[in-house]
Amino acid sequence: MTTEEITQFQNTIKDTILPLAMNMTTTQIENIIMSVGEIDDKFKNMLLEQVFILKNKK
């Protein structure tokens, strides 16, 4: 991913997922993301990583 794509990805997470994830435990977030069958496991891992990083920054 380019720097611009990473920034856009993080901004999308901040706008859509983070407001909900802030009130969830790590286990809840992992269970929800890992239960989505339509996305690749590599993407799930990247998404989880970004959600946790952004959640810890808040």
Side-chain angles (χ1 to χ4, degrees), residues 4-16 54:
E4 293 84 19
E5 290 171 329
I6 293 169
T7 301
Q8 183 179 9
F9 184 57
Q10 289 176 334
N11 288 337
T12 301
I13 292 170
K14 286 178 188 175
D15 293 341
T16 59
L54 293 171

Side-chain angles (χ1 to χ4, degrees), residues 7-50:
T7 301
Q8 183 179 9
F9 184 57
Q10 289 176 334
N11 288 337
T12 301
I13 292 170
K14 286 178 188 175
D15 293 341
T16 59
I17 298 172
L18 203 56
L20 300 171
M22 291 304 292
N23 297 317
M24 298 175 141
T25 65
T26 300
T27 303
Q28 288 173 317
I29 296 167
E30 287 175 352
N31 288 341
I32 290 169
I33 292 176
M34 295 312 254
S35 70
V36 179
E38 294 82 25
I39 55 176
D40 183 60
D41 284 345
K42 290 178 185 176
F43 182 79
K44 289 177 190 178
N45 291 332
M46 181 175 61
L47 179 59
L48 278 172
E49 179 182 79
Q50 289 300 311

